Amino acid sequence: MRIKQIEIKDFKAFAGEYPSIKLDGKSLLVYGENGSGKSSLAQALDQFVETSTGMLKFGDFKNIFAHANDGFVKLTCEGFDAAGNPDPENGIYEWSETSDMVGQDLFVDASKTKGFLDYKRSLAVYLHPKDANRIDVFDLLMRNLLSRFVNPVSRSTFGDELGVMEQRVRAYWYQGNLNVLKRHLRDFNAGLSAVLKELNTKASDILTEFETGVTIRLAPARLSYGRPPKRLKRSHIGLFVQYYGRKIHQPHLFLNEARLSAVAISIFLGSMLIQPSSKIKLLILDDMLIGLDFSNRMPLLNVLKKHFNDYQVFMLTFDRNWFEIAKALLANGWGACEMYVSEHKEGPVGAEVVIGNKPQIVQPSDSYLDKAKKYFEAFDYPAAANYLRKRCEELIDDLLPLSYKIEPTNGFGSREITKLDGLIDRLKMLFEDCEESAPRAVESLLRLLKKATLNPMSHHDLESPIYRVEVEQLFDLVDELANLPRLKRQICLKAGSRAAYHFTDATREYSIDIELVADLLVITVNGNSRFNKAKWKIATWALNGVEFSSMDLANHQRLGPDIIEKTCAQERHLEGIANGVFGPRGLAVTPPRDVLAEFKVTNGGTLRDLLE
């Protein structure tokens, strides 16, 4: 079962009715500019499910500029069984002044498994007073994340148990009441220990994905009662943190925000993984990545793919750059939309009154290529060409490693290359450095079209004619760029490093040491790795204990200094050296099937090991 369509009218930031959001994929990525109602969309989903518990009334969330009482939040739900038959609970569900979800089993179950996290809620993990000696997450877990989790010992939810005990501990004491409280406390503590054991495992698994060097452990105190005054005592769940194996005192002061955010996210998502199943499993993430840089945001996408494939995820952000990157990486099973805001006016002509901002939905969130196609079909060739230029820049930027996208400035430091000319030059350089045939046809076509088509279309230029065929050529160019191989190069041995080969048989014991002239690189092309054509020098060789041997057992002697110097000065590829070692002037044996596996480097591994 999944939500297929969302419709909202006069809910919080939503003034009036706006175009419905349709979910083509299972999950949805949303970009919203400030004030667009993005967070209201997240809250509408969260509170729609919560209203099934009977705790929320639509009127409390009504838009303040709405005159009528016809606002609503509607969700269209759709599901099928294994045989392809529609689920009997398919349909449109409405939350409004006259309709709610109270008692709807579909959403009652969803309320127990739903997860909603925004930046403010994540602060509960580490926003503590400076003089606090520990992080206490009891309220976060027991009154929020796990409040509806069923205690495996008592079979009641932790939230209900806590509420009952807080009522009983304030009641007038008599022995029967006290015995009931003791039983509740015993079951509560036993169930909490069992659940936290499972949560520790799940949260730690997720935190490992962030590679922060941080490990965590949640440890509960045994909840008890005291008098006077009559109250529950030791309601604590300590969050104990280690950083690269060292215990951290006051982690909320020691760790930076990125690591603390990773801890908070891991606890939150870990609590989701131990929840029971339901037909609709929702995970709503509203700008929860504010405290994470890009290197720490990427692991979250891996976590979602790895652990939350069976969830319908709504991820909302006001960071446009992150939205575009995530949109590209979450292509399968994800849809994307954009939210903007415009003034909402009502009244007679000439006397319009602004009654608030009205969200505007752009769906789907088209790529540069999709936008170019739409403008091309509308015969707006300049607009189509500009979006194709953006797509070309996007593709080249994606093909280039970071080191190829920066250049030194005249003074101190460096700057990012953003102009198309510079990106083209760096793409050509990358192919040359990787010893791959440079895409000459693509480069020539790109420069030609940039000069003839792209630049004039970006300016008020009435002299340069715009032809449909030129824009069609641009579409072909984009296809060629999209199909270029992905290249990567990495140093695995520095110049001056050595490798050695050793051979023995019944009559000979031979060894040779060779030295790198320039760095040895691993070149990866579309996932397939090879070495660059690095050159080596022979440092020394020996046969049967004779260094710089003539390799002639019939006249076994050391070669003269001139021949040795000349031989050791030659720079050759490994293949050339191997041909000399195994050829008629060397050992005169059948060459091994894998020469790389025969030459060992100083760390004890082989060249083949380095490559793999």
Side-chain angles (χ1 to χ4, degrees):
M1 182 72 73
R2 69 183 181 94
I3 298 171
K4 190 178 180 181
Q5 184 169 308
I6 306 168
E7 300 171 84
I8 301 178
K9 179 180 180 181
D10 290 334
F11 177 85
K12 298 193 76 170
F14 294 98
E17 187 173 357
Y18 73 100
S20 62
I21 296 178
K22 297 180 180 179
L23 280 77
D24 295 327
K26 181 179 179 181
S27 296
L28 185 67
L29 178 66
V30 180
Y31 164 75
E33 67 177 2
N34 289 330
S36 66
K38 169 187 64 65
S39 291
S40 293
L41 172 60
Q43 292 163 11
L45 289 167
D46 177 47
Q47 291 158 358
F48 184 98
V49 177
E50 286 298 306
T51 191
S52 65
T53 65
M55 300 172 63
L56 303 178
K57 301 299 181 184
F58 186 87
D60 295 334
F61 303 95
K62 177 181 169 182
N63 182 274
I64 60 174
F65 296 104
H67 303 302
N69 292 323
D70 57 349
F72 57 78
V73 177
K74 295 179 183 178
L75 301 185
T76 302
C77 299
E78 182 181 76
F80 302 89
D81 62 20
N85 300 312
D87 191 289
E89 293 185 285
N90 284 356
I92 300 175
Y93 295 84
E94 178 179 320
W95 178 34
S96 63
E97 294 274 17
T98 58
S99 179
D100 58 40
M101 294 295 102
V102 176
Q104 290 281 359
D105 290 341
L106 179 65
F107 292 99
V108 170
D109 289 343
S111 70
K112 298 174 183 177
T113 62
K114 167 190 60 68
F116 177 84
L117 181 66
D118 59 9
Y119 182 66
K120 291 183 291 186
R121 294 195 188 189
S122 69
L123 294 176
V125 173
Y126 55 88
L127 191 62
H128 295 272
K130 289 186 177 181
D131 59 351
N133 290 322
R134 63 183 172 189
I135 296 178
D136 182 8
V137 293
F138 183 90
D139 285 342
L140 174 68
L141 293 177
M142 294 295 95
R143 305 184 193 279
N144 188 342
L145 299 183
L146 298 179
S147 64
R148 294 178 187 170
F149 192 93
V150 175
N151 184 332
V153 177
S154 67
R155 311 312 300 172
S156 297
T157 66
F158 282 115
D160 287 345
E161 279 191 319
L162 197 57
V164 168
M165 288 189 294
E166 287 175 335
Q167 290 177 359
R168 288 187 178 277
V169 81
R170 290 192 295 266
Y172 179 79
W173 284 114
Y174 60 89
Q175 192 59 41
N177 223 10
L178 184 58
N179 290 336
V180 172
L181 178 63
K182 287 180 177 179
R183 186 175 67 250
H184 277 306
L185 286 169
R186 182 183 66 245
D187 292 347
F188 183 90
N189 288 327
L192 180 57
S193 295
V195 170
L196 288 189
K197 183 178 180 180
E198 186 178 3
L199 178 56
N200 273 321
T201 300
K202 298 296 185 182
S204 296
D205 287 346
I206 292 173
L207 185 57
T208 301
E209 300 277 352
F210 289 91
E211 298 182 353
T212 59
V214 175
T215 56
I216 59 173
R217 180 174 61 88
L218 296 164
R222 290 190 61 81
L223 190 63
S224 60
Y225 74 94
R227 57 177 179 174
K230 301 170 183 177
R231 61 184 178 88
L232 294 177
K233 298 192 306 180
R234 305 187 71 200
S235 55
H236 307 299
I237 298 178
L239 173 62
F240 298 95
V241 178
Q242 289 190 338
Y243 183 57
Y244 288 106
R246 302 293 294 272
K247 184 177 179 181
I248 302 303
H249 180 62
Q250 294 183 307
H252 55 295
L253 302 180
F254 179 86
L255 298 176
N256 62 19
E257 187 171 6
R259 289 188 171 89
L260 288 168
S261 294
V263 169
I265 291 169
S266 299
I267 293 174
F268 174 80
L269 295 182
S271 71
M272 296 300 303
L273 292 178
I274 66 174
Q275 299 282 2
S277 186
S278 63
K279 278 189 177 181
I280 293 183
K281 301 176 74 172
L282 294 179
L283 179 58
I284 305 164
L285 310 175
D286 182 21
D287 269 327
M288 58 176 288
L289 304 179
I290 296 174
L292 296 178
D293 56 24
F294 269 83
S295 63
N296 285 307
R297 292 182 184 187
M298 304 303 279
L300 176 65
L301 301 186
N302 295 329
V303 169
L304 294 179
K305 293 176 184 178
K306 184 176 179 180
H307 297 284
F308 292 91
N309 269 331
D310 57 339
Y311 275 77
Q312 189 166 17
V313 183
F314 292 84
M315 187 158 65
L316 304 95
T317 180
F318 66 78
D319 187 330
R320 181 76 200 207
N321 191 24
W322 168 243
F323 171 75
E324 294 295 341
I325 292 174
K327 185 169 67 172
L329 295 175
L330 294 173
N332 295 328
W334 284 74
C337 74
E338 302 172 35
M339 296 182 66
Y340 299 94
V341 64
S342 63
E343 288 185 345
H344 185 204
K345 299 180 179 180
E346 286 187 357
V349 177
E352 292 184 333
V353 179
V354 177
I355 64 168
N357 292 329
K358 182 175 181 178
Q360 301 296 320
I361 306 299
V362 177
Q363 189 183 20
S365 175
D366 290 331
S367 65
Y368 292 141
L369 184 59
D370 291 331
K371 290 177 181 177
K373 290 177 179 177
K374 288 182 178 179
Y375 281 111
F376 183 78
E377 292 169 358
F379 307 106
D380 190 345
Y381 300 140
N386 266 313
Y387 276 113
L388 287 172
R389 177 192 180 110
K390 288 175 178 288
R391 177 57 176 158
C392 288
E393 292 174 347
E394 182 181 48
L395 286 169
I396 296 174
D397 183 77
D398 187 50
L399 287 167
L400 292 174
L402 178 61
S403 58
Y404 282 79
K405 291 186 283 191
I406 58 175
E407 61 182 355
T409 58
N410 293 331
F412 176 78
S414 60
R415 63 187 173 195
E416 185 178 0
I417 300 171
T418 57
K419 293 185 177 180
L420 190 55
D421 271 338
L423 292 172
I424 295 169
D425 290 338
R426 289 306 179 100
L427 182 62
K428 180 181 177 182
M429 182 190 300
L430 174 64
F431 273 81
E432 291 173 350
D433 290 347
C434 291
E435 299 167 357
E436 289 287 314
S437 298
R440 299 184 187 280
V442 173
E443 177 193 349
S444 300
L445 180 60
L446 186 56
R447 289 190 185 280
L448 171 65
L449 293 180
K450 175 181 178 295
K451 180 179 179 180
T453 305
L454 294 177
N455 275 354
M457 289 190 181
S458 298
H459 306 285
H460 178 65
D461 185 350
L462 302 180
E463 301 297 325
S464 301
I466 302 168
Y467 297 108
R468 177 187 180 96
V469 67
E470 291 174 326
V471 182
E472 288 176 335
Q473 286 178 302
L474 273 177
F475 279 106
D476 293 336
L477 169 62
V478 167
D479 288 340
E480 289 191 58
L481 285 176
N483 290 317
L484 287 181
R486 290 189 169 273
L487 306 180
K488 181 181 176 182
R489 60 197 297 268
Q490 182 178 0
I491 297 175
C492 65
L493 278 182
K494 299 289 290 183
S497 300
R498 289 199 174 190
Y501 170 72
H502 187 78
F503 172 87
T504 57
D505 64 10
T507 60
R508 294 171 296 180
E509 182 177 359
Y510 171 82
S511 63
I512 182 172
D513 280 6
I514 57 177
E515 182 178 313
L516 262 177
V517 176
D519 294 343
L520 182 66
L521 308 176
V522 173
I523 307 295
T524 304
V525 182
N526 284 341
N528 299 314
S529 298
R530 58 171 173 78
F531 285 128
N532 67 326
K533 297 177 181 177
K535 290 188 175 181
W536 302 75
K537 287 182 178 180
I538 297 176
T540 182
W541 75 91
L543 177 64
N544 292 345
V546 177
E547 190 178 23
F548 302 118
S549 166
S550 64
M551 301 298 294
D552 182 359
L553 290 179
N555 185 21
H556 195 205
Q557 58 183 332
R558 180 187 175 98
L559 293 174
D562 293 342
I563 298 177
I564 294 173
E565 182 179 356
K566 181 179 179 181
T567 302
C568 293
Q570 292 179 355
E571 298 179 3
R572 291 173 281 190
H573 298 303
L574 185 63
E575 294 83 353
I577 293 176
N579 289 337
V581 170
F582 303 111
R585 294 187 179 182
L587 295 172
V589 298
T590 302
R593 295 179 62 182
D594 186 359
V595 172
L596 296 179
E598 301 297 327
F599 278 83
K600 292 186 177 182
V601 292
T602 51
N603 67 358
T606 67
L607 291 176
R608 173 61 63 191
D609 295 332
L610 287 178
L611 186 61
E612 293 178 350

